Amino acid sequence: MKFHDQESRKPHDPHLQRLSLEAFINTELICHRLGASSDVSVRSIRLDWSSLERECVIQLIFLDGMVNSQVLQESIIPAIQSAPPVPEGYSLPRYFSDQILTAGQVRTTGDLTGAVKDILSGCLLMLIDGYDEALALAIQGYEKRSIGETKTETVIRGPQEAFTDDLRTNITMIRRKMKDERLRIVTRSVGQVTQTDVSILYIEGLADEPVLDRIAEMFDEIGLKMVLEGEYIEEYLQGNKYTVFPTILNTERPDSITAGLAEGRVAIIVDGTPFAMIVPSLFIDFIQSAEDSYQPYLFSSLVRVLRLAAVIISVFAPGLYIAITTFHQDLLPTRLLLSIMFQREGVPFPAFVEATLMEITFEIIREAGIRMPRNIGQAVSIVGTLIVGQAAVDAGIVSAGMVIVVAITGISSFVIPAYNMSISIRMIRFLFMGASASFGIYGITVGFLILVVHLCSLQSVGIPYMRPYAPYLRKEQADGVFRSPYWSSPRNKRSKDGV
């Protein structure tokens, strides 16, 4: 299955209403479609050429605030008013698009639905009396956020720019980094009400055809009323609808998208959000950071091992503490056991309830720090955690050892670069806490085996989630837990055919 742009299929739809030959009738129909909104502006221009049998009437329709008013007033309207008579052999639409209108891209539309959509997209619609075709000029001028630094994927070394909320700006940032002629961009409109533009980017010849087929089928199945962010589409791409683990990687970094495209992956960018999606995404991708590619390979490999250790700590640390203090005290040295027992003396709750209270409190404080204003959010998180933890220990509600375990667990979850993976780790942590409180280390062992089987059963757009470790593919481990140096990595060496 191949991607097809919706614009290229539109003229072949027999149900679309064609434009009339009368410009005034088309104007009335369009204004009726738009409900006579106050921001709909109509300008009429009359040209009296002796070469024409009758006066040429041109209607300009646009949304106030959506087009560049300076370009309209200083370039478009003067160019139309001062246009010389049309040469022989030219139709008026072709004459204006080829010879007169030089600002912005110009395309032709012949149906009412397409004309309305062009206006809603911020284009200037030009209707010429006597012709059933309209010209759409892309001179959008609405306000948009400028390119700034990334906020969720900060790096010390490497590009500092991040995606914006504008789709065209984001695509331009990728085009600037990737100058490969094989880069393909297909744009679809998704959402019955919002008509949100969604672009699919891939390199022809590198991207897997089955992956492209799955994405194309997914877009054909979407029947949502609105699409405001990538999560609306991401849930359609999820292979296993009921897993807590993310199988789609989100990023706001153009360099990460460029690297993914060069590896044969597919990028999906939704208009109105600064986060793009990369498919397929593997488990190992969620513990990697963009900075790993900009640091020496030995340092990057060490940091990745630390992140993997942080994932293990974040998942198992509270459960192991509960299991050891409840069922397996004989595993601890005598002095450490006496210290823990002395700390827990007077605590009225079992270890599981104690850990659950502290974990919930920590999550509440963390969520409060995120939702509060940025200049006081971090202070509230740090001070609140210290005060609550110290007060809970002094009151004898929890032990000092439990506060240390919860603190280490929380800090370890911050090490994970992908925020959605961090959320998943925090969720399954409570499952292991319950298993350890019920069956001790045996419960943790069985839970670990179930977790491994579940991860190995997941797929991301048809690709095994734990690849290249399950299945084991030695050639693809140049950028796994350990990063190979670029001079020895096969994935960065160009083949004879240039691919």
Side-chain angles (χ1 to χ4, degrees):
M1 181 182 297
K2 298 293 185 179
F3 281 108
H4 296 284
D5 197 342
Q6 286 183 342
E7 295 295 332
S8 63
R9 299 182 300 179
K10 188 183 300 180
H12 303 287
D13 192 342
H15 300 289
L16 296 177
Q17 181 180 355
R18 298 290 301 178
L19 291 174
S20 172
L21 293 174
E22 300 291 335
F24 291 101
I25 295 179
N26 293 329
T27 302
E28 292 180 359
L29 292 175
I30 291 175
C31 292
H32 177 73
R33 281 281 192 98
L34 298 176
S37 299
S38 58
D39 60 342
V40 178
S41 300
V42 179
R43 294 286 300 272
S44 296
I45 301 177
R46 299 179 181 272
L47 299 177
D48 189 7
W49 289 328
S50 58
S51 58
L52 296 178
E53 297 180 357
R54 60 174 182 171
E55 185 181 44
C56 178
V57 178
I58 297 176
Q59 296 280 86
L60 301 180
I61 308 176
F62 58 94
L63 295 179
D64 188 21
M66 293 287 286
V67 301
N68 191 324
S69 58
Q70 183 177 0
V71 174
L72 175 63
Q73 298 295 335
E74 299 180 1
S75 177
I76 302 298
I77 294 180
I80 296 175
Q81 292 175 338
S82 60
V86 58
E88 294 184 3
Y90 268 94
S91 66
L92 281 179
R94 182 186 172 191
Y95 172 62
F96 279 109
S97 62
D98 294 348
Q99 303 293 331
I100 305 302
L101 304 175
T102 59
Q105 296 181 348
V106 183
R107 62 176 178 267
T108 304
T109 180
D111 61 271
L112 185 61
T113 302
V116 172
K117 183 179 179 181
D118 288 332
I119 295 174
L120 295 176
S121 299
C123 295
L124 171 67
L125 190 72
M126 179 176 174
L127 299 170
I128 304 176
D129 195 31
Y131 293 88
D132 59 354
E133 290 183 343
L135 300 179
L137 285 72
I139 56 170
Q140 290 88 343
Y142 45 81
E143 295 294 331
K144 56 187 177 181
R145 184 166 59 93
S146 60
I147 299 175
E149 294 186 5
T150 175
K151 298 180 181 179
T152 61
E153 300 175 80
T154 56
V155 295
I156 298 176
R157 179 179 179 181
Q160 302 295 325
E161 60 184 6
F163 284 131
T164 68
D165 298 330
D166 183 65
L167 176 63
R168 298 303 171 189
T169 303
N170 296 338
I171 293 178
T172 302
M173 296 171 70
I174 296 176
R175 281 285 191 185
R176 186 165 54 88
K177 292 181 177 293
M178 175 167 288
K179 303 176 179 64
D180 196 318
E181 61 184 13
R182 298 169 298 170
L183 178 62
R184 301 292 180 260
I185 303 175
V186 181
T187 301
R188 296 258 188 111
S189 294
V190 183
Q192 182 181 2
V193 176
T194 58
Q195 291 290 306
T196 306
D197 289 334
V198 180
S199 292
I200 302 98
L201 293 79
Y202 64 95
I203 296 182
E204 190 174 21
L206 288 182
D208 293 336
E209 289 294 334
V211 174
L212 295 176
D213 291 343
R214 283 177 174 266
I215 296 176
E217 293 174 359
M218 181 273 299
F219 272 91
D220 292 336
E221 295 174 357
I222 292 180
L224 298 174
K225 288 186 177 180
M226 61 179 180
V227 174
L228 303 177
E229 213 272 338
E231 175 63 22
Y232 291 77
I233 298 175
E234 184 175 335
E235 293 187 2
Y236 276 86
L237 285 172
Q238 285 275 11
N240 190 330
K241 306 296 184 182
Y242 304 102
T243 183
V244 298
F245 290 95
T247 57
I248 309 297
L249 181 64
N250 295 279
T251 179
E252 60 175 347
R253 299 185 58 88
D255 55 332
S256 297
I257 293 294
T258 304
L261 292 173
E263 294 175 356
R265 308 194 189 190
V266 181
I268 301 176
I269 307 178
V270 180
D271 190 22
T273 175
F275 288 90
M277 295 174 283
I278 301 178
V279 291
S281 300
L282 311 179
F283 177 82
I284 196 67
D285 296 331
F286 293 91
I287 65 172
Q288 295 178 356
S289 173
E291 193 174 16
D292 297 345
S293 301
Y294 310 127
Q295 297 289 354
Y297 68 96
L298 291 177
F299 177 77
S300 299
S301 300
L302 175 61
V303 172
R304 289 183 180 181
V305 172
L306 290 177
R307 292 197 197 106
L308 188 59
V311 172
I312 297 174
I313 293 173
S314 183
V315 174
F316 297 106
L320 283 175
Y321 184 84
I322 293 172
I324 291 176
T325 56
T326 305
F327 297 101
H328 310 284
Q329 296 91 344
D330 53 333
L331 296 179
L332 297 177
T334 303
R335 291 187 177 181
L336 180 59
L337 177 61
L338 292 176
S339 176
I340 293 177
M341 292 299 102
F342 177 76
Q343 295 174 16
R344 288 191 49 79
E345 185 178 0
V347 176
F349 305 110
F352 173 70
V353 176
E354 183 184 1
T356 303
L357 289 176
M358 287 302 299
E359 287 287 349
I360 293 177
T361 302
F362 185 84
E363 295 295 334
I364 292 175
I365 295 176
R366 171 158 51 182
E367 190 68 17
I370 295 176
R371 305 307 166 195
M372 294 186 68
R374 187 176 305 173
N375 54 351
I376 64 174
Q378 293 182 349
V380 170
S381 298
I382 297 174
V383 176
T385 303
L386 292 175
I387 293 177
V388 171
Q390 185 63 40
V393 173
D394 294 340
I397 298 177
V398 297
S399 62
M402 182 60 72
V403 174
I404 295 174
V405 171
V406 172
I408 293 176
T409 302
I411 294 174
S412 298
S413 65
F414 288 126
V415 178
I416 305 173
Y419 180 70
N420 49 359
M421 177 59 74
S422 176
I423 296 176
S424 302
I425 296 300
R426 287 151 56 186
M427 292 175 63
I428 64 174
R429 180 192 308 159
F430 287 95
L431 298 179
F432 278 96
M433 289 168 54
S436 63
S438 302
F439 306 102
I441 292 181
Y442 302 104
I444 295 178
T445 304
V446 174
F448 173 73
L449 295 176
I450 295 175
L451 177 62
V452 171
V453 172
H454 176 68
L455 289 174
C456 293
S457 66
L458 295 179
Q459 292 184 344
S460 177
V461 200
I463 304 300
Y465 191 53
M466 297 302 294
R467 182 176 176 174
Y469 300 101
Y472 182 80
L473 300 173
R474 183 178 180 181
K475 294 183 179 180
E476 296 185 9
Q477 296 186 25
D479 193 26
V481 175
F482 302 98
R483 183 177 78 79
S484 300
Y486 292 127
W487 46 263
S488 67
S489 178
R491 70 189 184 97
N492 287 296
K493 293 182 179 180
R494 189 177 65 177
S495 60
K496 295 181 179 180
D497 57 357
V499 178

